[in-house]
Amino acid sequence: MARRDFDPESVKPDGRTPAKGVLFDAGSAGPWRGSLAGEAIGGQLTILAYGNDTPGEGPRLHVHPYDETFVVITGRARFFVGDAVIEASAGEAVLGPAGLPHRFENLGPGRLQTIDIHHSPCWIQTNLD
């Protein structure tokens, strides 16, 4: 299916050059494998890599002043976003809207690996527990 959602002539480059940054060291251990601030590469999103092998474990309850999108790469997770409880598996994504406290945990069995996309050029967070 061919797509033509906009006229390419209507968007002009803004002068930024392509950039690359390191999100994580593939050999690193621990659940927080790394983060890449959008501002480091001239982008509008900050990306985090998170993973753990222990069911029931996950990041603590926290909140951001911007949206966060979670992409489950491997495993299964239970997300607590405001009053909602959402289960997601590999290949699924969950939205945490700005201002809603959230956390998630590994449902097991095995490894949970997520890519967490912060809709901000820098990581801003307040822990609530």
Side-chain angles (χ1 to χ4, degrees), residues 78-86 100-101 103:
R78 179 175 292 126
F79 292 84
F80 302 87
V81 183
D83 293 331
V85 178
I86 302 168
L100 279 183
R103 68 180 184 86

PDB file of all heavy atoms in Angstrom, residues 78-86 100-101 103:
ATOM      1  N   ARG A  78       3.129  -6.049  34.016  1.00  0.00           N
ATOM      2  CA  ARG A  78       1.888  -5.464  34.529  1.00  0.00           C
ATOM      3  C   ARG A  78       2.197  -4.000  34.834  1.00  0.00           C
ATOM      4  O   ARG A  78       3.088  -3.692  35.627  1.00  0.00           O
ATOM      5  CB  ARG A  78       1.415  -6.177  35.784  1.00  0.00           C
ATOM      6  CG  ARG A  78       0.121  -5.575  36.350  1.00  0.00           C
ATOM      7  CD  ARG A  78      -0.416  -6.369  37.540  1.00  0.00           C
ATOM      8  NE  ARG A  78      -0.883  -7.671  37.073  1.00  0.00           N
ATOM      9  CZ  ARG A  78      -0.468  -8.833  37.585  1.00  0.00           C
ATOM     10  NH1 ARG A  78       0.410  -8.870  38.568  1.00  0.00           N
ATOM     11  NH2 ARG A  78      -0.953  -9.968  37.112  1.00  0.00           N
ATOM     12  N   PHE A  79       1.454  -3.107  34.177  1.00  0.00           N
ATOM     13  CA  PHE A  79       1.618  -1.668  34.344  1.00  0.00           C
ATOM     14  C   PHE A  79       0.522  -1.133  35.246  1.00  0.00           C
ATOM     15  O   PHE A  79      -0.648  -1.507  35.099  1.00  0.00           O
ATOM     16  CB  PHE A  79       1.548  -0.959  32.982  1.00  0.00           C
ATOM     17  CG  PHE A  79       2.718  -1.260  32.091  1.00  0.00           C
ATOM     18  CD1 PHE A  79       2.738  -2.401  31.312  1.00  0.00           C
ATOM     19  CD2 PHE A  79       3.805  -0.398  32.040  1.00  0.00           C
ATOM     20  CE1 PHE A  79       3.822  -2.680  30.490  1.00  0.00           C
ATOM     21  CE2 PHE A  79       4.887  -0.667  31.223  1.00  0.00           C
ATOM     22  CZ  PHE A  79       4.894  -1.812  30.448  1.00  0.00           C
ATOM     23  N   PHE A  80       0.889  -0.269  36.152  1.00  0.00           N
ATOM     24  CA  PHE A  80      -0.042   0.448  37.014  1.00  0.00           C
ATOM     25  C   PHE A  80       0.076   1.914  36.617  1.00  0.00           C
ATOM     26  O   PHE A  80       1.097   2.548  36.880  1.00  0.00           O
ATOM     27  CB  PHE A  80       0.331   0.250  38.484  1.00  0.00           C
ATOM     28  CG  PHE A  80       0.351  -1.202  38.901  1.00  0.00           C
ATOM     29  CD1 PHE A  80       1.493  -1.968  38.741  1.00  0.00           C
ATOM     30  CD2 PHE A  80      -0.784  -1.786  39.433  1.00  0.00           C
ATOM     31  CE1 PHE A  80       1.513  -3.304  39.120  1.00  0.00           C
ATOM     32  CE2 PHE A  80      -0.784  -3.129  39.814  1.00  0.00           C
ATOM     33  CZ  PHE A  80       0.370  -3.891  39.659  1.00  0.00           C
ATOM     34  N   VAL A  81      -0.956   2.441  35.950  1.00  0.00           N
ATOM     35  CA  VAL A  81      -0.933   3.809  35.435  1.00  0.00           C
ATOM     36  C   VAL A  81      -2.175   4.513  35.968  1.00  0.00           C
ATOM     37  O   VAL A  81      -3.292   4.190  35.551  1.00  0.00           O
ATOM     38  CB  VAL A  81      -0.905   3.835  33.894  1.00  0.00           C
ATOM     39  CG1 VAL A  81      -0.810   5.267  33.391  1.00  0.00           C
ATOM     40  CG2 VAL A  81       0.244   2.993  33.345  1.00  0.00           C
ATOM     41  N   GLY A  82      -1.978   5.432  36.921  1.00  0.00           N
ATOM     42  CA  GLY A  82      -3.135   6.022  37.583  1.00  0.00           C
ATOM     43  C   GLY A  82      -3.918   4.904  38.239  1.00  0.00           C
ATOM     44  O   GLY A  82      -3.350   4.087  38.968  1.00  0.00           O
ATOM     45  N   ASP A  83      -5.216   4.810  37.970  1.00  0.00           N
ATOM     46  CA  ASP A  83      -6.056   3.753  38.534  1.00  0.00           C
ATOM     47  C   ASP A  83      -6.138   2.517  37.639  1.00  0.00           C
ATOM     48  O   ASP A  83      -6.763   1.520  38.006  1.00  0.00           O
ATOM     49  CB  ASP A  83      -7.485   4.280  38.767  1.00  0.00           C
ATOM     50  CG  ASP A  83      -7.526   5.339  39.863  1.00  0.00           C
ATOM     51  OD1 ASP A  83      -6.674   5.287  40.778  1.00  0.00           O
ATOM     52  OD2 ASP A  83      -8.400   6.225  39.795  1.00  0.00           O
ATOM     53  N   ALA A  84      -5.526   2.557  36.466  1.00  0.00           N
ATOM     54  CA  ALA A  84      -5.601   1.441  35.517  1.00  0.00           C
ATOM     55  C   ALA A  84      -4.504   0.419  35.765  1.00  0.00           C
ATOM     56  O   ALA A  84      -3.385   0.765  36.160  1.00  0.00           O
ATOM     57  CB  ALA A  84      -5.499   1.965  34.084  1.00  0.00           C
ATOM     58  N   VAL A  85      -4.843  -0.843  35.525  1.00  0.00           N
ATOM     59  CA  VAL A  85      -3.879  -1.941  35.550  1.00  0.00           C
ATOM     60  C   VAL A  85      -3.930  -2.577  34.169  1.00  0.00           C
ATOM     61  O   VAL A  85      -4.996  -3.011  33.710  1.00  0.00           O
ATOM     62  CB  VAL A  85      -4.219  -2.977  36.639  1.00  0.00           C
ATOM     63  CG1 VAL A  85      -3.229  -4.127  36.603  1.00  0.00           C
ATOM     64  CG2 VAL A  85      -4.242  -2.320  38.018  1.00  0.00           C
ATOM     65  N   ILE A  86      -2.776  -2.597  33.495  1.00  0.00           N
ATOM     66  CA  ILE A  86      -2.704  -3.060  32.107  1.00  0.00           C
ATOM     67  C   ILE A  86      -1.609  -4.109  32.004  1.00  0.00           C
ATOM     68  O   ILE A  86      -0.463  -3.856  32.386  1.00  0.00           O
ATOM     69  CB  ILE A  86      -2.373  -1.890  31.159  1.00  0.00           C
ATOM     70  CG1 ILE A  86      -3.428  -0.794  31.281  1.00  0.00           C
ATOM     71  CG2 ILE A  86      -2.236  -2.382  29.723  1.00  0.00           C
ATOM     72  CD1 ILE A  86      -3.038   0.513  30.606  1.00  0.00           C
ATOM     73  N   LEU A 100       0.173  11.271  35.396  1.00  0.00           N
ATOM     74  CA  LEU A 100      -0.389  10.086  36.044  1.00  0.00           C
ATOM     75  C   LEU A 100       0.744   9.249  36.638  1.00  0.00           C
ATOM     76  O   LEU A 100       1.640   8.817  35.910  1.00  0.00           O
ATOM     77  CB  LEU A 100      -1.167   9.221  35.053  1.00  0.00           C
ATOM     78  CG  LEU A 100      -2.578   9.631  34.717  1.00  0.00           C
ATOM     79  CD1 LEU A 100      -3.219   8.616  33.763  1.00  0.00           C
ATOM     80  CD2 LEU A 100      -3.431   9.782  35.958  1.00  0.00           C
ATOM     81  N   PRO A 101       0.709   9.003  37.952  1.00  0.00           N
ATOM     82  CA  PRO A 101       1.731   8.145  38.555  1.00  0.00           C
ATOM     83  C   PRO A 101       1.697   6.761  37.911  1.00  0.00           C
ATOM     84  O   PRO A 101       0.627   6.248  37.568  1.00  0.00           O
ATOM     85  CB  PRO A 101       1.321   8.079  40.025  1.00  0.00           C
ATOM     86  CG  PRO A 101       0.518   9.321  40.245  1.00  0.00           C
ATOM     87  CD  PRO A 101      -0.217   9.533  38.952  1.00  0.00           C
ATOM     88  N   ARG A 103       4.021   2.766  37.407  1.00  0.00           N
ATOM     89  CA  ARG A 103       5.114   1.819  37.643  1.00  0.00           C
ATOM     90  C   ARG A 103       4.758   0.557  36.871  1.00  0.00           C
ATOM     91  O   ARG A 103       3.647   0.417  36.364  1.00  0.00           O
ATOM     92  CB  ARG A 103       5.304   1.517  39.122  1.00  0.00           C
ATOM     93  CG  ARG A 103       4.175   0.742  39.757  1.00  0.00           C
ATOM     94  CD  ARG A 103       4.443   0.466  41.243  1.00  0.00           C
ATOM     95  NE  ARG A 103       3.405  -0.351  41.837  1.00  0.00           N
ATOM     96  CZ  ARG A 103       3.375  -1.685  41.812  1.00  0.00           C
ATOM     97  NH1 ARG A 103       4.350  -2.360  41.209  1.00  0.00           N
ATOM     98  NH2 ARG A 103       2.387  -2.355  42.375  1.00  0.00           N
TER      99      ARG A 103
END
